[in-house]
Amino acid sequence: QSALTQPASVSGSPGQSITISCTGTSSDVGGYNYVSWYQQHPGKAPKLMIYEVSNRPSGVSNRFSGSKSGNTASLTISGLQAEDEADYYCSSYTTSRTLGVVFGGGTKLTVL
Amino acid sequence: EVQLLESGGHLVQPGGSLRLSCVTSGFTFSSYAISWVRQAPGKGLEWVSGISSSGGGTYYADSVKGLFTISRDNSKNTVYLQMNTLRADDTAVYYCAKDNLWFRELSAFDYWGQGTLVTVSS
């Protein structure tokens, strides 16, 4: 399974909006709606922020939103806050070669 | 409160074996799939293996197929990962994670353990 493609880093100022892209293939992102996004702070376990492309788990701020177009999924964070600074990973169900899950390489979000 | 607690990670020599355990509580264990996800030092997340709620379905990343075996004991609310023929590039923190959907595996992971460190080195 090849990793999904994410930008290595993005940045934004408090209050601004940023978008992180996640590009896969028709065997993963483009073929299924099981795309998820995770936030990970240093030394902590990942936290689910978005599941099934655009759904937010209970307790996750509505500043976080997800979408998908073709083979590319996106995570948008609006009204950036200092505590949003973290690594973000996308993932997708995949049927490439074998059934499984594939993660993106991760994106470091810096809040300026 | 949903909890997952990994154990079993430690220093092992190349070629050695290790069994990780993931003890869970706070949810109906037999209704949810569980996966193992690892993170090498300073690197990103890598899905390793998953098992269906009944244990009848098991799934592996290409990098560990034939080397690792996932299993579960629904009477003990525990998932295991048997790792054989370990290599230096298996060095990582290993997390177990719960699927968020009833009786559906490999969807999204809503609860994670704190991780257990496996170091493969001579």
Side-chain angles (χ1 to χ4, degrees), chain A residues 1 34 36 38 40 44-46 48 51-52 89 93 97-98 100-101 103, chain B residues 39 44-45 47 60-62 65 95 100-101 104 106-109 112-113:
Chain A
Q1 297 102 338
Y34 291 111
S36 306
Y38 301 88
Q40 187 180 36
K44 301 294 188 181
L48 179 64
Y51 67 96
E52 291 175 42
Y89 295 90
Y93 175 73
R97 295 170 60 86
T98 59
V101 173
F103 280 93
Chain B
Q39 187 168 34
L45 301 174
W47 176 81
Y60 299 94
D62 289 343
K65 197 171 298 181
Y95 296 100
N100 71 325
L101 297 177
R104 174 56 166 97
L106 311 178
S107 50
F109 308 127
W112 298 62

PDB file of all heavy atoms in Angstrom, chain A residues 1 34 36 38 40 44-46 48 51-52 89 93 97-98 100-101 103, chain B residues 39 44-45 47 60-62 65 95 100-101 104 106-109 112-113:
ATOM      1  N   GLN A   1       0.841  -1.196   0.000  1.00  0.00           N
ATOM      2  CA  GLN A   1       0.000   0.000   0.000  1.00  0.00           C
ATOM      3  C   GLN A   1       0.878   1.249   0.000  1.00  0.00           C
ATOM      4  O   GLN A   1       1.710   1.424   0.891  1.00  0.00           O
ATOM      5  CB  GLN A   1      -0.885   0.008   1.250  1.00  0.00           C
ATOM      6  CG  GLN A   1      -1.880  -1.143   1.331  1.00  0.00           C
ATOM      7  CD  GLN A   1      -1.439  -2.241   2.284  1.00  0.00           C
ATOM      8  OE1 GLN A   1      -0.258  -2.363   2.572  1.00  0.00           O
ATOM      9  NE2 GLN A   1      -2.377  -3.062   2.736  1.00  0.00           N
ATOM     10  N   TYR A  34     -14.512   6.172   3.160  1.00  0.00           N
ATOM     11  CA  TYR A  34     -13.891   5.935   4.468  1.00  0.00           C
ATOM     12  C   TYR A  34     -12.576   6.696   4.549  1.00  0.00           C
ATOM     13  O   TYR A  34     -11.505   6.105   4.719  1.00  0.00           O
ATOM     14  CB  TYR A  34     -13.703   4.441   4.702  1.00  0.00           C
ATOM     15  CG  TYR A  34     -15.011   3.719   4.895  1.00  0.00           C
ATOM     16  CD1 TYR A  34     -15.487   2.830   3.924  1.00  0.00           C
ATOM     17  CD2 TYR A  34     -15.781   3.936   6.031  1.00  0.00           C
ATOM     18  CE1 TYR A  34     -16.705   2.192   4.100  1.00  0.00           C
ATOM     19  CE2 TYR A  34     -16.992   3.294   6.202  1.00  0.00           C
ATOM     20  CZ  TYR A  34     -17.453   2.420   5.233  1.00  0.00           C
ATOM     21  OH  TYR A  34     -18.658   1.792   5.402  1.00  0.00           O
ATOM     22  N   SER A  36     -10.532   9.515   6.685  1.00  0.00           N
ATOM     23  CA  SER A  36     -10.498  10.075   8.037  1.00  0.00           C
ATOM     24  C   SER A  36      -9.327  11.031   8.171  1.00  0.00           C
ATOM     25  O   SER A  36      -8.365  10.973   7.408  1.00  0.00           O
ATOM     26  CB  SER A  36     -10.338   8.962   9.071  1.00  0.00           C
ATOM     27  OG  SER A  36     -11.315   7.966   8.919  1.00  0.00           O
ATOM     28  N   TYR A  38      -6.760  12.770  11.352  1.00  0.00           N
ATOM     29  CA  TYR A  38      -6.308  12.664  12.734  1.00  0.00           C
ATOM     30  C   TYR A  38      -5.388  13.828  13.062  1.00  0.00           C
ATOM     31  O   TYR A  38      -4.596  14.266  12.232  1.00  0.00           O
ATOM     32  CB  TYR A  38      -5.566  11.346  12.963  1.00  0.00           C
ATOM     33  CG  TYR A  38      -6.416  10.140  12.667  1.00  0.00           C
ATOM     34  CD1 TYR A  38      -6.480   9.602  11.390  1.00  0.00           C
ATOM     35  CD2 TYR A  38      -7.187   9.550  13.667  1.00  0.00           C
ATOM     36  CE1 TYR A  38      -7.295   8.517  11.095  1.00  0.00           C
ATOM     37  CE2 TYR A  38      -8.000   8.455  13.385  1.00  0.00           C
ATOM     38  CZ  TYR A  38      -8.045   7.959  12.098  1.00  0.00           C
ATOM     39  OH  TYR A  38      -8.860   6.889  11.823  1.00  0.00           O
ATOM     40  N   GLN A  40      -2.422  14.984  15.807  1.00  0.00           N
ATOM     41  CA  GLN A  40      -1.490  14.425  16.779  1.00  0.00           C
ATOM     42  C   GLN A  40      -0.564  15.497  17.316  1.00  0.00           C
ATOM     43  O   GLN A  40       0.187  16.107  16.566  1.00  0.00           O
ATOM     44  CB  GLN A  40      -0.662  13.289  16.167  1.00  0.00           C
ATOM     45  CG  GLN A  40       0.206  12.565  17.196  1.00  0.00           C
ATOM     46  CD  GLN A  40       1.032  11.447  16.596  1.00  0.00           C
ATOM     47  OE1 GLN A  40       1.504  11.546  15.479  1.00  0.00           O
ATOM     48  NE2 GLN A  40       1.235  10.376  17.362  1.00  0.00           N
ATOM     49  N   LYS A  44       1.823  12.501  21.978  1.00  0.00           N
ATOM     50  CA  LYS A  44       0.459  12.048  22.270  1.00  0.00           C
ATOM     51  C   LYS A  44      -0.041  11.078  21.208  1.00  0.00           C
ATOM     52  O   LYS A  44       0.495  11.016  20.105  1.00  0.00           O
ATOM     53  CB  LYS A  44      -0.497  13.249  22.334  1.00  0.00           C
ATOM     54  CG  LYS A  44      -0.118  14.277  23.385  1.00  0.00           C
ATOM     55  CD  LYS A  44      -0.251  13.714  24.780  1.00  0.00           C
ATOM     56  CE  LYS A  44      -0.050  14.800  25.830  1.00  0.00           C
ATOM     57  NZ  LYS A  44      -0.146  14.250  27.213  1.00  0.00           N
ATOM     58  N   ALA A  45      -1.086  10.343  21.566  1.00  0.00           N
ATOM     59  CA  ALA A  45      -1.731   9.467  20.587  1.00  0.00           C
ATOM     60  C   ALA A  45      -2.560  10.311  19.616  1.00  0.00           C
ATOM     61  O   ALA A  45      -3.012  11.407  19.967  1.00  0.00           O
ATOM     62  CB  ALA A  45      -2.634   8.463  21.304  1.00  0.00           C
ATOM     63  N   PRO A  46      -2.751   9.822  18.405  1.00  0.00           N
ATOM     64  CA  PRO A  46      -3.604  10.542  17.444  1.00  0.00           C
ATOM     65  C   PRO A  46      -5.037  10.666  17.954  1.00  0.00           C
ATOM     66  O   PRO A  46      -5.505   9.836  18.732  1.00  0.00           O
ATOM     67  CB  PRO A  46      -3.552   9.655  16.197  1.00  0.00           C
ATOM     68  CG  PRO A  46      -2.273   8.889  16.333  1.00  0.00           C
ATOM     69  CD  PRO A  46      -2.136   8.635  17.805  1.00  0.00           C
ATOM     70  N   LEU A  48      -9.018  11.345  16.476  1.00  0.00           N
ATOM     71  CA  LEU A  48      -9.886  11.378  15.300  1.00  0.00           C
ATOM     72  C   LEU A  48     -10.599  12.726  15.222  1.00  0.00           C
ATOM     73  O   LEU A  48     -11.280  13.121  16.162  1.00  0.00           O
ATOM     74  CB  LEU A  48     -10.914  10.250  15.368  1.00  0.00           C
ATOM     75  CG  LEU A  48     -11.926  10.156  14.223  1.00  0.00           C
ATOM     76  CD1 LEU A  48     -11.220   9.846  12.902  1.00  0.00           C
ATOM     77  CD2 LEU A  48     -12.980   9.090  14.528  1.00  0.00           C
ATOM     78  N   TYR A  51     -14.343  11.700  10.162  1.00  0.00           N
ATOM     79  CA  TYR A  51     -14.479  10.351   9.635  1.00  0.00           C
ATOM     80  C   TYR A  51     -15.491  10.351   8.494  1.00  0.00           C
ATOM     81  O   TYR A  51     -16.328  11.255   8.397  1.00  0.00           O
ATOM     82  CB  TYR A  51     -14.870   9.360  10.737  1.00  0.00           C
ATOM     83  CG  TYR A  51     -16.254   9.570  11.311  1.00  0.00           C
ATOM     84  CD1 TYR A  51     -17.339   8.846  10.847  1.00  0.00           C
ATOM     85  CD2 TYR A  51     -16.460  10.488  12.347  1.00  0.00           C
ATOM     86  CE1 TYR A  51     -18.601   9.035  11.376  1.00  0.00           C
ATOM     87  CE2 TYR A  51     -17.713  10.686  12.886  1.00  0.00           C
ATOM     88  CZ  TYR A  51     -18.785   9.961  12.404  1.00  0.00           C
ATOM     89  OH  TYR A  51     -20.032  10.152  12.937  1.00  0.00           O
ATOM     90  N   GLU A  52     -15.412   9.344   7.652  1.00  0.00           N
ATOM     91  CA  GLU A  52     -16.276   9.233   6.473  1.00  0.00           C
ATOM     92  C   GLU A  52     -16.353  10.568   5.725  1.00  0.00           C
ATOM     93  O   GLU A  52     -17.433  11.089   5.441  1.00  0.00           O
ATOM     94  CB  GLU A  52     -17.656   8.726   6.894  1.00  0.00           C
ATOM     95  CG  GLU A  52     -17.605   7.281   7.364  1.00  0.00           C
ATOM     96  CD  GLU A  52     -18.943   6.795   7.909  1.00  0.00           C
ATOM     97  OE1 GLU A  52     -19.989   7.094   7.307  1.00  0.00           O
ATOM     98  OE2 GLU A  52     -18.916   6.121   8.951  1.00  0.00           O
ATOM     99  N   TYR A  89      -2.884  13.860   9.948  1.00  0.00           N
ATOM    100  CA  TYR A  89      -2.759  12.709   9.049  1.00  0.00           C
ATOM    101  C   TYR A  89      -4.123  12.382   8.452  1.00  0.00           C
ATOM    102  O   TYR A  89      -5.123  12.334   9.171  1.00  0.00           O
ATOM    103  CB  TYR A  89      -2.257  11.484   9.796  1.00  0.00           C
ATOM    104  CG  TYR A  89      -0.862  11.612  10.351  1.00  0.00           C
ATOM    105  CD1 TYR A  89      -0.642  12.110  11.636  1.00  0.00           C
ATOM    106  CD2 TYR A  89       0.244  11.229   9.594  1.00  0.00           C
ATOM    107  CE1 TYR A  89       0.642  12.233  12.145  1.00  0.00           C
ATOM    108  CE2 TYR A  89       1.529  11.336  10.104  1.00  0.00           C
ATOM    109  CZ  TYR A  89       1.718  11.845  11.374  1.00  0.00           C
ATOM    110  OH  TYR A  89       2.993  11.957  11.880  1.00  0.00           O
ATOM    111  N   TYR A  93      -9.585   3.765   3.753  1.00  0.00           N
ATOM    112  CA  TYR A  93      -9.725   2.357   3.450  1.00  0.00           C
ATOM    113  C   TYR A  93      -9.147   2.148   2.060  1.00  0.00           C
ATOM    114  O   TYR A  93      -9.298   2.997   1.177  1.00  0.00           O
ATOM    115  CB  TYR A  93     -11.208   1.993   3.477  1.00  0.00           C
ATOM    116  CG  TYR A  93     -11.537   0.581   3.067  1.00  0.00           C
ATOM    117  CD1 TYR A  93     -11.262  -0.488   3.901  1.00  0.00           C
ATOM    118  CD2 TYR A  93     -12.145   0.322   1.837  1.00  0.00           C
ATOM    119  CE1 TYR A  93     -11.596  -1.790   3.539  1.00  0.00           C
ATOM    120  CE2 TYR A  93     -12.483  -0.968   1.466  1.00  0.00           C
ATOM    121  CZ  TYR A  93     -12.198  -2.020   2.316  1.00  0.00           C
ATOM    122  OH  TYR A  93     -12.512  -3.292   1.944  1.00  0.00           O
ATOM    123  N   ARG A  97      -3.837  -3.762  -3.810  1.00  0.00           N
ATOM    124  CA  ARG A  97      -3.079  -4.974  -3.494  1.00  0.00           C
ATOM    125  C   ARG A  97      -3.816  -5.841  -2.472  1.00  0.00           C
ATOM    126  O   ARG A  97      -4.121  -6.997  -2.711  1.00  0.00           O
ATOM    127  CB  ARG A  97      -1.665  -4.650  -3.006  1.00  0.00           C
ATOM    128  CG  ARG A  97      -0.789  -3.996  -4.078  1.00  0.00           C
ATOM    129  CD  ARG A  97       0.518  -3.477  -3.490  1.00  0.00           C
ATOM    130  NE  ARG A  97       1.315  -4.533  -2.886  1.00  0.00           N
ATOM    131  CZ  ARG A  97       2.175  -5.300  -3.549  1.00  0.00           C
ATOM    132  NH1 ARG A  97       2.342  -5.157  -4.844  1.00  0.00           N
ATOM    133  NH2 ARG A  97       2.872  -6.226  -2.909  1.00  0.00           N
ATOM    134  N   THR A  98      -4.049  -5.333  -1.272  1.00  0.00           N
ATOM    135  CA  THR A  98      -4.820  -6.069  -0.262  1.00  0.00           C
ATOM    136  C   THR A  98      -5.742  -5.106   0.463  1.00  0.00           C
ATOM    137  O   THR A  98      -5.559  -3.897   0.380  1.00  0.00           O
ATOM    138  CB  THR A  98      -3.906  -6.742   0.777  1.00  0.00           C
ATOM    139  OG1 THR A  98      -3.119  -5.729   1.414  1.00  0.00           O
ATOM    140  CG2 THR A  98      -2.979  -7.757   0.126  1.00  0.00           C
ATOM    141  N   GLY A 100      -7.041  -2.977   3.431  1.00  0.00           N
ATOM    142  CA  GLY A 100      -6.373  -2.411   4.587  1.00  0.00           C
ATOM    143  C   GLY A 100      -6.648  -0.939   4.735  1.00  0.00           C
ATOM    144  O   GLY A 100      -7.668  -0.436   4.250  1.00  0.00           O
ATOM    145  N   VAL A 101      -5.766  -0.274   5.409  1.00  0.00           N
ATOM    146  CA  VAL A 101      -5.845   1.169   5.637  1.00  0.00           C
ATOM    147  C   VAL A 101      -4.516   1.776   5.220  1.00  0.00           C
ATOM    148  O   VAL A 101      -3.448   1.187   5.452  1.00  0.00           O
ATOM    149  CB  VAL A 101      -6.121   1.470   7.132  1.00  0.00           C
ATOM    150  CG1 VAL A 101      -6.033   2.967   7.395  1.00  0.00           C
ATOM    151  CG2 VAL A 101      -7.490   0.931   7.539  1.00  0.00           C
ATOM    152  N   PHE A 103      -2.307   5.480   5.367  1.00  0.00           N
ATOM    153  CA  PHE A 103      -2.199   6.824   5.927  1.00  0.00           C
ATOM    154  C   PHE A 103      -1.427   7.733   4.979  1.00  0.00           C
ATOM    155  O   PHE A 103      -0.620   7.278   4.159  1.00  0.00           O
ATOM    156  CB  PHE A 103      -1.440   6.795   7.263  1.00  0.00           C
ATOM    157  CG  PHE A 103      -2.277   6.372   8.440  1.00  0.00           C
ATOM    158  CD1 PHE A 103      -2.310   5.044   8.834  1.00  0.00           C
ATOM    159  CD2 PHE A 103      -3.024   7.296   9.150  1.00  0.00           C
ATOM    160  CE1 PHE A 103      -3.072   4.641   9.929  1.00  0.00           C
ATOM    161  CE2 PHE A 103      -3.790   6.912  10.233  1.00  0.00           C
ATOM    162  CZ  PHE A 103      -3.808   5.581  10.621  1.00  0.00           C
TER     163      PHE A 103
ATOM    164  N   GLN B  39       4.305   3.883  14.682  1.00  0.00           N
ATOM    165  CA  GLN B  39       4.938   5.159  14.343  1.00  0.00           C
ATOM    166  C   GLN B  39       6.413   5.071  14.701  1.00  0.00           C
ATOM    167  O   GLN B  39       6.764   5.047  15.891  1.00  0.00           O
ATOM    168  CB  GLN B  39       4.266   6.313  15.082  1.00  0.00           C
ATOM    169  CG  GLN B  39       4.740   7.685  14.668  1.00  0.00           C
ATOM    170  CD  GLN B  39       3.854   8.788  15.221  1.00  0.00           C
ATOM    171  OE1 GLN B  39       3.302   8.695  16.319  1.00  0.00           O
ATOM    172  NE2 GLN B  39       3.681   9.857  14.435  1.00  0.00           N
ATOM    173  N   GLY B  44       5.849   9.217  10.380  1.00  0.00           N
ATOM    174  CA  GLY B  44       4.399   9.258  10.356  1.00  0.00           C
ATOM    175  C   GLY B  44       3.755   7.961  10.798  1.00  0.00           C
ATOM    176  O   GLY B  44       4.423   7.007  11.198  1.00  0.00           O
ATOM    177  N   LEU B  45       2.425   7.947  10.720  1.00  0.00           N
ATOM    178  CA  LEU B  45       1.659   6.781  11.122  1.00  0.00           C
ATOM    179  C   LEU B  45       1.653   5.733  10.014  1.00  0.00           C
ATOM    180  O   LEU B  45       1.567   6.066   8.832  1.00  0.00           O
ATOM    181  CB  LEU B  45       0.217   7.187  11.437  1.00  0.00           C
ATOM    182  CG  LEU B  45       0.027   8.224  12.537  1.00  0.00           C
ATOM    183  CD1 LEU B  45      -1.442   8.627  12.636  1.00  0.00           C
ATOM    184  CD2 LEU B  45       0.534   7.710  13.868  1.00  0.00           C
ATOM    185  N   TRP B  47      -0.376   2.045   9.284  1.00  0.00           N
ATOM    186  CA  TRP B  47      -1.284   0.973   9.681  1.00  0.00           C
ATOM    187  C   TRP B  47      -0.578  -0.362   9.504  1.00  0.00           C
ATOM    188  O   TRP B  47       0.069  -0.608   8.480  1.00  0.00           O
ATOM    189  CB  TRP B  47      -2.551   1.029   8.834  1.00  0.00           C
ATOM    190  CG  TRP B  47      -3.502  -0.085   9.095  1.00  0.00           C
ATOM    191  CD1 TRP B  47      -4.401  -0.189  10.117  1.00  0.00           C
ATOM    192  CD2 TRP B  47      -3.651  -1.278   8.322  1.00  0.00           C
ATOM    193  NE1 TRP B  47      -5.094  -1.369  10.025  1.00  0.00           N
ATOM    194  CE2 TRP B  47      -4.659  -2.057   8.929  1.00  0.00           C
ATOM    195  CE3 TRP B  47      -3.030  -1.765   7.172  1.00  0.00           C
ATOM    196  CZ2 TRP B  47      -5.062  -3.283   8.430  1.00  0.00           C
ATOM    197  CZ3 TRP B  47      -3.420  -2.986   6.667  1.00  0.00           C
ATOM    198  CH2 TRP B  47      -4.432  -3.744   7.294  1.00  0.00           C
ATOM    199  N   TYR B  60      -3.550  -7.283   6.910  1.00  0.00           N
ATOM    200  CA  TYR B  60      -2.163  -6.926   7.171  1.00  0.00           C
ATOM    201  C   TYR B  60      -1.618  -5.981   6.112  1.00  0.00           C
ATOM    202  O   TYR B  60      -1.963  -6.078   4.937  1.00  0.00           O
ATOM    203  CB  TYR B  60      -1.286  -8.186   7.195  1.00  0.00           C
ATOM    204  CG  TYR B  60      -1.674  -9.173   8.254  1.00  0.00           C
ATOM    205  CD1 TYR B  60      -2.536 -10.224   7.966  1.00  0.00           C
ATOM    206  CD2 TYR B  60      -1.182  -9.055   9.547  1.00  0.00           C
ATOM    207  CE1 TYR B  60      -2.920 -11.131   8.948  1.00  0.00           C
ATOM    208  CE2 TYR B  60      -1.551  -9.965  10.539  1.00  0.00           C
ATOM    209  CZ  TYR B  60      -2.419 -10.991  10.224  1.00  0.00           C
ATOM    210  OH  TYR B  60      -2.791 -11.889  11.198  1.00  0.00           O
ATOM    211  N   ALA B  61      -0.740  -5.092   6.547  1.00  0.00           N
ATOM    212  CA  ALA B  61       0.029  -4.299   5.603  1.00  0.00           C
ATOM    213  C   ALA B  61       1.021  -5.209   4.894  1.00  0.00           C
ATOM    214  O   ALA B  61       1.478  -6.213   5.458  1.00  0.00           O
ATOM    215  CB  ALA B  61       0.766  -3.179   6.338  1.00  0.00           C
ATOM    216  N   ASP B  62       1.363  -4.856   3.664  1.00  0.00           N
ATOM    217  CA  ASP B  62       2.321  -5.667   2.909  1.00  0.00           C
ATOM    218  C   ASP B  62       3.635  -5.833   3.665  1.00  0.00           C
ATOM    219  O   ASP B  62       4.288  -6.875   3.577  1.00  0.00           O
ATOM    220  CB  ASP B  62       2.598  -5.016   1.552  1.00  0.00           C
ATOM    221  CG  ASP B  62       1.413  -5.120   0.600  1.00  0.00           C
ATOM    222  OD1 ASP B  62       0.513  -5.949   0.850  1.00  0.00           O
ATOM    223  OD2 ASP B  62       1.387  -4.366  -0.392  1.00  0.00           O
ATOM    224  N   LYS B  65       3.104  -8.735   6.324  1.00  0.00           N
ATOM    225  CA  LYS B  65       2.377  -9.953   5.972  1.00  0.00           C
ATOM    226  C   LYS B  65       3.305 -11.155   6.030  1.00  0.00           C
ATOM    227  O   LYS B  65       4.428 -11.118   5.511  1.00  0.00           O
ATOM    228  CB  LYS B  65       1.771  -9.804   4.586  1.00  0.00           C
ATOM    229  CG  LYS B  65       0.685 -10.786   4.261  1.00  0.00           C
ATOM    230  CD  LYS B  65      -0.007 -10.418   2.958  1.00  0.00           C
ATOM    231  CE  LYS B  65      -0.675  -9.066   3.058  1.00  0.00           C
ATOM    232  NZ  LYS B  65      -1.381  -8.701   1.793  1.00  0.00           N
ATOM    233  N   TYR B  95       0.541   1.433  18.496  1.00  0.00           N
ATOM    234  CA  TYR B  95      -0.744   1.806  19.079  1.00  0.00           C
ATOM    235  C   TYR B  95      -1.795   0.766  18.682  1.00  0.00           C
ATOM    236  O   TYR B  95      -1.811   0.314  17.529  1.00  0.00           O
ATOM    237  CB  TYR B  95      -1.226   3.143  18.540  1.00  0.00           C
ATOM    238  CG  TYR B  95      -0.387   4.351  18.866  1.00  0.00           C
ATOM    239  CD1 TYR B  95       0.513   4.870  17.938  1.00  0.00           C
ATOM    240  CD2 TYR B  95      -0.527   5.018  20.087  1.00  0.00           C
ATOM    241  CE1 TYR B  95       1.265   6.004  18.216  1.00  0.00           C
ATOM    242  CE2 TYR B  95       0.221   6.155  20.373  1.00  0.00           C
ATOM    243  CZ  TYR B  95       1.108   6.632  19.431  1.00  0.00           C
ATOM    244  OH  TYR B  95       1.842   7.766  19.720  1.00  0.00           O
ATOM    245  N   ASN B 100     -14.576   2.813  14.687  1.00  0.00           N
ATOM    246  CA  ASN B 100     -15.688   3.613  15.212  1.00  0.00           C
ATOM    247  C   ASN B 100     -17.059   3.076  14.828  1.00  0.00           C
ATOM    248  O   ASN B 100     -18.069   3.565  15.346  1.00  0.00           O
ATOM    249  CB  ASN B 100     -15.556   5.074  14.758  1.00  0.00           C
ATOM    250  CG  ASN B 100     -15.829   5.251  13.273  1.00  0.00           C
ATOM    251  OD1 ASN B 100     -15.496   4.376  12.466  1.00  0.00           O
ATOM    252  ND2 ASN B 100     -16.416   6.371  12.893  1.00  0.00           N
ATOM    253  N   LEU B 101     -17.110   2.079  13.934  1.00  0.00           N
ATOM    254  CA  LEU B 101     -18.405   1.582  13.482  1.00  0.00           C
ATOM    255  C   LEU B 101     -18.661   0.170  13.980  1.00  0.00           C
ATOM    256  O   LEU B 101     -17.758  -0.672  14.004  1.00  0.00           O
ATOM    257  CB  LEU B 101     -18.486   1.589  11.955  1.00  0.00           C
ATOM    258  CG  LEU B 101     -18.394   2.952  11.278  1.00  0.00           C
ATOM    259  CD1 LEU B 101     -18.424   2.789   9.763  1.00  0.00           C
ATOM    260  CD2 LEU B 101     -19.530   3.857  11.733  1.00  0.00           C
ATOM    261  N   ARG B 104     -17.903  -3.201  11.565  1.00  0.00           N
ATOM    262  CA  ARG B 104     -17.305  -2.751  10.314  1.00  0.00           C
ATOM    263  C   ARG B 104     -15.843  -2.467  10.609  1.00  0.00           C
ATOM    264  O   ARG B 104     -15.527  -1.685  11.496  1.00  0.00           O
ATOM    265  CB  ARG B 104     -18.015  -1.502   9.805  1.00  0.00           C
ATOM    266  CG  ARG B 104     -17.411  -0.827   8.558  1.00  0.00           C
ATOM    267  CD  ARG B 104     -17.284  -1.731   7.365  1.00  0.00           C
ATOM    268  NE  ARG B 104     -17.025  -1.036   6.110  1.00  0.00           N
ATOM    269  CZ  ARG B 104     -15.818  -0.878   5.585  1.00  0.00           C
ATOM    270  NH1 ARG B 104     -14.772  -1.335   6.217  1.00  0.00           N
ATOM    271  NH2 ARG B 104     -15.682  -0.243   4.431  1.00  0.00           N
ATOM    272  N   LEU B 106     -11.779  -1.398   9.542  1.00  0.00           N
ATOM    273  CA  LEU B 106     -10.943  -0.564   8.675  1.00  0.00           C
ATOM    274  C   LEU B 106     -11.650   0.711   8.226  1.00  0.00           C
ATOM    275  O   LEU B 106     -11.442   1.182   7.103  1.00  0.00           O
ATOM    276  CB  LEU B 106     -10.482  -1.370   7.447  1.00  0.00           C
ATOM    277  CG  LEU B 106      -9.878  -2.745   7.741  1.00  0.00           C
ATOM    278  CD1 LEU B 106      -9.516  -3.448   6.439  1.00  0.00           C
ATOM    279  CD2 LEU B 106      -8.670  -2.635   8.656  1.00  0.00           C
ATOM    280  N   SER B 107     -12.485   1.288   9.096  1.00  0.00           N
ATOM    281  CA  SER B 107     -13.216   2.497   8.733  1.00  0.00           C
ATOM    282  C   SER B 107     -12.503   3.739   9.258  1.00  0.00           C
ATOM    283  O   SER B 107     -11.906   4.510   8.498  1.00  0.00           O
ATOM    284  CB  SER B 107     -14.640   2.421   9.268  1.00  0.00           C
ATOM    285  OG  SER B 107     -14.644   2.080  10.641  1.00  0.00           O
ATOM    286  N   ALA B 108     -12.577   3.949  10.559  1.00  0.00           N
ATOM    287  CA  ALA B 108     -11.871   5.061  11.206  1.00  0.00           C
ATOM    288  C   ALA B 108     -11.616   4.646  12.641  1.00  0.00           C
ATOM    289  O   ALA B 108     -12.308   3.781  13.174  1.00  0.00           O
ATOM    290  CB  ALA B 108     -12.687   6.350  11.164  1.00  0.00           C
ATOM    291  N   PHE B 109     -10.644   5.243  13.269  1.00  0.00           N
ATOM    292  CA  PHE B 109     -10.223   4.833  14.613  1.00  0.00           C
ATOM    293  C   PHE B 109     -10.546   5.936  15.607  1.00  0.00           C
ATOM    294  O   PHE B 109      -9.913   6.991  15.606  1.00  0.00           O
ATOM    295  CB  PHE B 109      -8.737   4.503  14.616  1.00  0.00           C
ATOM    296  CG  PHE B 109      -8.342   3.529  13.531  1.00  0.00           C
ATOM    297  CD1 PHE B 109      -7.325   3.814  12.651  1.00  0.00           C
ATOM    298  CD2 PHE B 109      -9.014   2.312  13.387  1.00  0.00           C
ATOM    299  CE1 PHE B 109      -6.964   2.923  11.656  1.00  0.00           C
ATOM    300  CE2 PHE B 109      -8.671   1.413  12.393  1.00  0.00           C
ATOM    301  CZ  PHE B 109      -7.649   1.725  11.519  1.00  0.00           C
ATOM    302  N   TRP B 112      -7.718   5.436  20.834  1.00  0.00           N
ATOM    303  CA  TRP B 112      -6.365   4.910  20.719  1.00  0.00           C
ATOM    304  C   TRP B 112      -5.780   4.671  22.105  1.00  0.00           C
ATOM    305  O   TRP B 112      -6.103   5.380  23.054  1.00  0.00           O
ATOM    306  CB  TRP B 112      -5.472   5.912  19.991  1.00  0.00           C
ATOM    307  CG  TRP B 112      -5.862   6.222  18.583  1.00  0.00           C
ATOM    308  CD1 TRP B 112      -7.034   6.794  18.148  1.00  0.00           C
ATOM    309  CD2 TRP B 112      -5.078   6.005  17.411  1.00  0.00           C
ATOM    310  NE1 TRP B 112      -7.020   6.936  16.779  1.00  0.00           N
ATOM    311  CE2 TRP B 112      -5.826   6.464  16.306  1.00  0.00           C
ATOM    312  CE3 TRP B 112      -3.804   5.476  17.180  1.00  0.00           C
ATOM    313  CZ2 TRP B 112      -5.342   6.393  14.993  1.00  0.00           C
ATOM    314  CZ3 TRP B 112      -3.323   5.411  15.892  1.00  0.00           C
ATOM    315  CH2 TRP B 112      -4.094   5.864  14.801  1.00  0.00           C
ATOM    316  N   GLY B 113      -4.892   3.701  22.198  1.00  0.00           N
ATOM    317  CA  GLY B 113      -4.124   3.534  23.421  1.00  0.00           C
ATOM    318  C   GLY B 113      -2.990   4.550  23.469  1.00  0.00           C
ATOM    319  O   GLY B 113      -2.834   5.378  22.572  1.00  0.00           O
TER     320      GLY B 113
END
